[in-house]
Amino acid sequence: MAATSRTPSFTAPEAQPPMGLRERKKLKTRVAIRQATYRLIQEQGYEATTIEQIAEAAEVSPSTVFRYFATKEDIVLTDEYDPIMEAVLRSRPLDEPPLESLRLMMREALTSFATAEDEELRQRTRLMVEVPAIRSRMTETMSDTAKVLSQVLADRTGRSADDLRIRVFIAAVLGALREVALYWGEHGQEGDLITMIDEALTALEGGLRL
Amino acid sequence: MAATSRTPSFTAPEAQPPMGLRERKKLKTRVAIRQATYRLIQEQGYEATTIEQIAEAAEVSPSTVFRYFATKEDIVLTDEYDPIMEAVLRSRPLDEPPLESLRLMMREALTSFATAEDEELRQRTRLMVEVPAIRSRMTETMSDTAKVLSQVLADRTGRSADDLRIRVFIAAVLGALREVALYWGEHGQEGDLITMIDEALTALEGGLRL
DNA sequence: AAGTCAAGTGACAGTAACTCTCAAAAGATT
DNA sequence: AATCTTTTGAGAGTTACTGTCACTTGACTT
């Protein structure tokens, strides 16, 4: 959401055409639905919150909610990380080791997001820990991210994005990162997430010797 | 299923008490439901197959289906891998590098399963590729496996099973393995799965340098 | 400014996965 | 054979999600 308006440093500096009334309304509805959802979940929990309640709170019909978000989980999960991560990763020098580039990428993406939308990040992590459906959907989402990142690494190494080595590489890294996030969430979100990620990546780099 | 009856070499050799009629019937129902499900899915696809149809084909009521399996996905996914993997892993010498132990474990689990229930393995991999709900649930299932394996590694290294390093280790490995399976499934299940897993683990061992 | 077109919305009906409850049936136990 | 316990099926209910259709409301044309 807000990320979209905060990304000029990453996205190509194309001046967006000045949204018509229609698109402005659409965005407002989208935001309204998301905010209503977060509020209701905060108050009564995820499962207890129905689409009907969300629709009512956002002052739209249930049909409309489904028009904006494919599933209930998506209302919570939809984000704009991928383009940011892709841009950062592409901006790294070609001779930098891939793992190092990914480390920087994560650092960059997280710091910008964590300072701007800290509460949302925490809320989401909480849900990821507590609600299986959310966690599940998030994992699926990660495989989209994996595709994007694989493509970038493929471009940079001159291989196919479908190359097994690349896919395994990305899968291992994202699997590890997911686990760090889970751990952080399970332990009351204490400690510095970025440092923990750093350590995880260092472990991967060292060949996972335990 | 059949795995249960094929595990004396791994599980402690406790002579099981000779199942009464009740338990035998339960097992039969379980098997009937699973077989009916696999058959119907084969014929009409996963989404098109309803619980009602499954119930009818297995000659039980829908209620009963839900009593045996929590979700539709579970009918397909339920397996007995975990105890086998745990047993193999525990049987490895303590001074063996963990990654090596895991490699052996996978090799062992897969060869025994792939020869005994080859068709089921392939069918399941197919579903994992084609049906998001199945893939999703399978990933969740993997996190149970992760807990088991983490516990074993914890015991072997004298750390807590909740140790971040252990969790990251396992997550990275399982993430990589999942990707290999997916790749294998997406490419028509050609090539030797075990070799591919071996290579993935070697990549991890070498520090993911691409 | 009016008229046309396309996009967005709500009402409604329907499906299917699950949940809960309760009474009947069937196995286990004495 | 009588009793106790587990398992089952029937039925009613909830909720996420799909599809259709008529209505409204911005956008564009002349």
Side-chain angles (χ1 to χ4, degrees):
Chain A
M1 279 317 68
T4 307
S5 52
R6 213 171 20 69
T7 47
S9 42
F10 299 117
T11 56
E14 1 136 331
Q16 291 164 258
M19 278 199 241
L21 173 54
R22 211 166 225 169
E23 302 208 22
R24 260 178 292 145
K25 250 189 156 173
K26 248 161 77 174
L27 215 113
K28 254 169 79 176
T29 307
R30 218 183 153 74
V31 171
I33 294 174
R34 286 201 46 180
Q35 285 188 343
T37 305
Y38 270 110
R39 210 197 69 229
L40 287 171
I41 289 181
Q42 183 88 351
E43 290 170 10
Q44 2 166 311
Y46 180 79
E47 334 260 10
T49 302
T50 71
I51 297 283
E52 210 170 337
Q53 294 174 335
I54 293 172
E56 194 177 356
E59 300 189 286
V60 293
S61 74
S63 321
T64 299
V65 174
F66 282 116
R67 238 176 242 120
Y68 278 80
F69 299 94
T71 71
K72 192 177 156 189
E73 293 91 48
D74 280 334
I75 306 180
V76 169
L77 290 180
T78 305
D79 64 44
E80 319 294 352
Y81 278 82
D82 287 10
I84 302 183
M85 296 202 286
E86 178 175 4
V88 175
L89 191 55
R90 284 202 190 279
S91 77
R92 303 301 311 165
L94 276 167
D95 60 338
E96 185 175 60
L99 213 49
E100 207 52 38
S101 303
L102 287 176
R103 186 196 300 269
L104 267 292
M105 177 196 81
M106 283 307 298
R107 201 195 292 270
E108 185 72 44
L110 255 182
T111 44
S112 73
F113 193 77
T115 50
E117 275 119 35
D118 185 64
E119 194 38 56
E120 190 177 320
L121 175 70
R122 289 180 183 276
Q123 169 85 316
R124 215 186 277 191
T125 308
R126 218 174 295 134
L127 288 171
M128 173 183 168
V129 171
E130 288 165 8
V131 186
I134 297 263
R135 184 168 56 245
S136 209
R137 183 75 177 174
M138 190 172 257
T139 308
E140 276 291 296
T141 299
M142 264 184 33
S143 95
D144 292 342
T145 305
K147 283 205 186 75
V148 173
L149 299 184
S150 294
Q151 185 59 58
V152 178
L153 287 195
D155 292 348
R156 290 164 69 89
T157 55
R159 310 190 198 192
S160 153
D162 190 51
D163 186 302
L164 180 55
R165 287 163 298 178
I166 289 190
R167 286 180 58 171
V168 165
F169 180 97
I170 294 288
V173 171
L174 291 186
L177 295 186
R178 184 190 111 109
E179 196 68 19
V180 172
L182 221 45
Y183 181 94
W184 184 66
E186 283 173 13
H187 290 73
Q189 309 189 346
E190 279 165 25
D192 185 29
L193 187 51
I194 295 189
T195 306
M196 291 163 80
I197 288 178
D198 255 10
E199 288 169 6
L201 291 178
T202 303
L204 285 178
E205 203 170 18
L208 283 186
R209 282 178 219 301
L210 261 197
Chain B
M1 278 325 59
T4 305
S5 52
R6 209 170 22 68
T7 47
S9 41
F10 299 118
T11 56
E14 3 139 328
Q16 291 162 260
M19 276 200 243
L21 173 53
R22 213 165 225 171
E23 302 207 22
R24 260 178 291 145
K25 251 191 156 175
K26 245 159 83 173
L27 215 111
K28 255 169 79 176
T29 307
R30 217 183 154 73
V31 171
I33 294 175
R34 285 201 48 179
Q35 284 187 343
T37 304
Y38 270 109
R39 211 197 68 229
L40 287 171
I41 289 180
Q42 184 88 347
E43 290 170 12
Q44 4 167 314
Y46 180 79
E47 334 258 12
T49 302
T50 71
I51 297 284
E52 211 170 335
Q53 292 174 337
I54 293 172
E56 194 178 355
E59 300 189 286
V60 293
S61 74
S63 321
T64 298
V65 174
F66 283 117
R67 235 175 245 119
Y68 279 79
F69 299 94
T71 69
K72 192 178 156 189
E73 292 92 49
D74 280 335
I75 306 179
V76 169
L77 290 180
T78 306
D79 63 44
E80 320 294 354
Y81 278 80
D82 287 10
I84 302 182
M85 296 202 287
E86 178 175 5
V88 176
L89 192 54
R90 284 202 189 278
S91 77
R92 303 301 311 166
L94 276 168
D95 60 338
E96 185 175 60
L99 213 49
E100 208 51 38
S101 304
L102 287 175
R103 187 196 301 269
L104 268 290
M105 177 195 81
M106 283 306 299
R107 200 196 293 270
E108 185 71 42
L110 255 181
T111 46
S112 73
F113 192 76
T115 51
E117 274 118 36
D118 185 65
E119 194 39 55
E120 190 177 320
L121 175 70
R122 289 181 183 274
Q123 168 85 317
R124 215 187 276 191
T125 309
R126 218 174 295 133
L127 288 171
M128 174 185 170
V129 170
E130 286 164 9
V131 185
I134 297 263
R135 183 169 56 246
S136 210
R137 183 75 177 174
M138 188 173 258
T139 308
E140 277 291 297
T141 298
M142 264 184 32
S143 95
D144 292 342
T145 305
K147 285 204 185 76
V148 173
L149 299 184
S150 294
Q151 185 60 59
V152 178
L153 287 195
D155 291 348
R156 290 165 68 88
T157 55
R159 309 191 199 193
S160 154
D162 190 50
D163 186 302
L164 180 55
R165 287 163 299 178
I166 289 190
R167 287 180 58 171
V168 164
F169 180 97
I170 294 288
V173 170
L174 291 186
L177 295 186
R178 183 190 112 110
E179 196 69 18
V180 172
L182 220 45
Y183 182 95
W184 185 65
E186 284 173 12
H187 291 74
Q189 310 189 347
E190 279 166 25
D192 185 29
L193 187 51
I194 295 188
T195 307
M196 291 164 80
I197 288 178
D198 254 10
E199 287 169 5
L201 291 178
T202 304
L204 284 178
E205 202 170 18
L208 283 187
R209 283 181 218 300
L210 262 197

